[in-house]
Amino acid sequence: MKKRKMVSLLGVLTLSATMILSACGSSGEKDSKETSKESANKLEDKVVIYSPHGKDILGQFEKMFEEKYGIDVEWLDMGSQEVLDRIRSEKNNPQADVWWGAPSTNFEQAKGEDLLDPYEPTYSATLDEGFHEPDWYWTGTSQTPEVIMYNTKLLKKEEVPKDWDELLDPKWKDKIIIRYPLASGTMRTIFSAMIYRDFKDSGDPNTGYEWLKKLDANTKEYSANPEMMYNKVAKGEGLLSVWGMPDVAMLKEQKNYPFDFIIPASGTPVLTEGIAIVKGAPHPKAAEAFYEFVNTPEAAKILAEQHYRIPTRNDVTDLPDWIKNTEIKEMDIDWDVFESQSDVWMKYWDENIKNGDKQIKE
């Protein structure tokens, strides 16, 4: 089983909306910009990023990287599993340079299929065991706890399920809206975790399958993308969902969505999100520069303060109080089992459990 150090985290987030970047205006930035301009002369003229991080993060880092290096950034925003599938389809003619964002299990699958090139970053000493692939085919960038999300206008906190099994109560029938799992690394992880709870002792997924059948009965819709799911829960077409804590917190604090979350009492999977260089990347030097850029301590602080990402680097200081002073019960998971079994489990769910009428396409 892969071991890793867990950062103390979470709780009720009440970050001030006045949080601003402190790193971007540092005294050393002018000097670093000059160095970067010189270095850019040795790099390719663009870099192509595949990522599930969404337009807010991708647009922000595109602007920052282009300003620093003068290199054009092109990005494609899609679900984690969709990224993996696309890179597979492009194996003989790679189009992407960097894959930024996905559960470590997705990167392990890609490594096993010879889709990634190893790259040991300059900050490798700051990553504890478990936050990188041993031969550096990927490195962890952040940690993502999974939570139960709810509409605060329509539900009081005391009414919300406090743990995973409470989602199966018949009173939540047609009150749950879920991001379509097959395209989402986050949802694959949550569904796999529900199966793994019994599977780890019995070696049999059927108890988990029965759990997913009951959840399907309560699910109103499998939304094609996260934005569709957010909008429908915000409008009250559904009251609940399950999703990654950073996105829920960001939507609540920065975009005023009527959202909050509950951390499941029995424990929750905490994903290690990663980054990797695509094998045969058309712009390998620019890819390395982008890889390094989005994982500096300054970038980690931006992602923590503005996007609620919990860094994996152990040298990032002055992090928000919600990271430093709160804790979460992390579900004990053998991620190697997830890597080997997740596709089988999700295929069974898709073919035998899912109510196809509830799948909404774009």
Side-chain angles (χ1 to χ4, degrees):
M1 181 182 297
K2 296 179 182 177
K3 301 294 184 182
R4 63 181 182 183
K5 180 181 177 182
M6 179 60 193
V7 177
S8 177
L9 56 103
L10 218 53
V12 178
L13 302 184
T14 55
L15 291 182
S16 168
T18 60
M19 278 188 169
I20 60 174
L21 304 182
S22 59
C24 287
S26 63
S27 60
E29 185 176 351
K30 290 183 179 179
D31 292 337
S32 67
K33 276 188 178 182
E34 293 302 319
T35 302
S36 298
K37 295 292 185 182
E38 294 176 7
S39 299
N41 293 330
K42 303 176 183 178
L43 306 180
E44 298 87 4
D45 60 357
K46 74 174 182 179
V47 62
V48 179
I49 315 300
Y50 288 174
S51 175
H53 279 327
K55 63 182 181 180
D56 290 340
I57 291 177
L58 293 172
Q60 181 179 12
F61 277 84
E62 172 190 15
K63 181 178 179 180
M64 291 165 55
F65 185 79
E66 289 181 344
E67 180 181 345
K68 184 170 184 177
Y69 285 98
I71 296 172
D72 183 42
V73 176
E74 296 180 3
W75 50 263
L76 188 59
D77 177 31
M78 61 186 115
S80 301
Q81 186 64 34
E82 291 172 312
V83 176
L84 175 56
D85 292 340
R86 185 167 183 130
I87 292 174
R88 280 172 175 155
S89 71
E90 297 172 349
K91 182 175 182 178
N92 294 327
N93 184 25
Q95 301 298 304
D97 299 302
V98 177
W99 178 3
W100 182 28
S104 59
T105 49
N106 285 127
F107 288 107
E108 283 291 321
Q109 286 179 295
K111 182 200 74 172
E113 297 175 30
D114 197 27
L115 300 176
L116 306 177
D117 271 337
Y119 175 68
E120 183 173 355
T122 58
Y123 57 86
S124 58
T126 71
L127 296 173
D128 294 325
E129 183 183 358
F131 287 148
H132 65 87
E133 198 278 330
D135 294 317
W136 301 100
Y137 280 89
W138 60 266
T139 63
T141 57
S142 63
Q143 299 174 87
T144 302
E146 313 304 345
V147 297
I148 298 169
M149 181 180 92
Y150 66 97
N151 183 316
T152 55
K153 288 185 176 180
L154 300 174
L155 284 177
K156 296 178 181 179
K157 190 168 187 176
E158 55 268 24
E159 297 175 315
V160 181
K162 301 302 187 291
D163 212 343
W164 301 110
D165 290 346
E166 293 181 32
L167 291 167
L168 307 184
D169 191 312
K171 71 181 180 181
W172 300 118
K173 183 174 177 59
D174 294 332
K175 302 294 193 298
I176 299 172
I177 294 181
I178 290 175
R179 159 67 159 124
Y180 181 57
L182 292 193
S184 167
T186 295
M187 286 309 311
R188 280 171 168 258
T189 298
I190 293 172
F191 275 24
S192 293
M194 296 303 99
I195 295 171
Y196 180 77
R197 292 186 301 174
D198 184 75
F199 181 88
K200 69 179 186 297
D201 297 319
S202 68
D204 186 342
N206 283 311
T207 297
Y209 290 156
E210 288 301 318
W211 193 96
L212 292 177
K213 285 180 183 178
K214 293 176 182 177
L215 182 67
D216 179 82
N218 281 355
T219 299
K220 181 177 182 179
E221 175 183 307
Y222 297 106
S223 300
N225 57 61
E227 288 72 24
M228 186 182 293
M229 181 263 287
Y230 302 153
N231 289 333
K232 294 200 172 187
V233 175
K235 292 176 182 177
E237 294 182 33
L239 303 181
L240 300 168
S241 189
V242 289
W243 197 240
M245 180 276 297
D247 289 338
V248 180
M250 181 273 294
L251 292 165
K252 171 190 173 184
E253 297 291 338
Q254 295 186 3
K255 298 193 174 183
N256 297 315
Y257 275 70
F259 292 165
D260 209 338
F261 60 85
I262 294 290
I263 308 159
S266 63
T268 191
V270 180
L271 291 176
T272 294
E273 297 273 349
I275 190 169
I277 293 179
V278 177
K279 185 170 185 178
H283 313 99
K285 293 301 181 184
E288 291 176 4
F290 187 87
Y291 191 119
E292 295 278 349
F293 179 79
V294 298
N295 290 296
T296 61
E298 293 81 9
K301 288 186 68 174
I302 290 170
L303 289 165
E305 292 173 352
Q306 296 191 7
H307 303 287
Y308 305 90
R309 308 281 166 164
I310 302 156
T312 53
R313 289 186 63 146
N314 60 25
D315 63 343
V316 183
T317 58
D318 299 322
L319 288 168
D321 287 343
W322 66 268
I323 292 179
K324 295 186 292 186
N325 299 336
T326 55
E327 296 182 354
I328 187 172
K329 184 176 181 181
E330 182 179 8
M331 188 179 290
D332 186 19
I333 290 172
D334 185 338
W335 296 99
D336 289 333
V337 173
F338 270 42
E339 179 197 344
S340 66
Q341 298 295 324
S342 180
D343 282 349
V344 175
W345 293 342
M346 291 301 94
K347 186 174 187 291
Y348 185 90
W349 173 84
D350 186 53
E351 295 177 353
N352 300 280
I353 296 174
K354 175 194 72 179
N355 183 335
D357 293 338
K358 298 179 180 181
Q359 181 182 346
I360 306 300
K361 298 182 180 180
E362 292 181 274

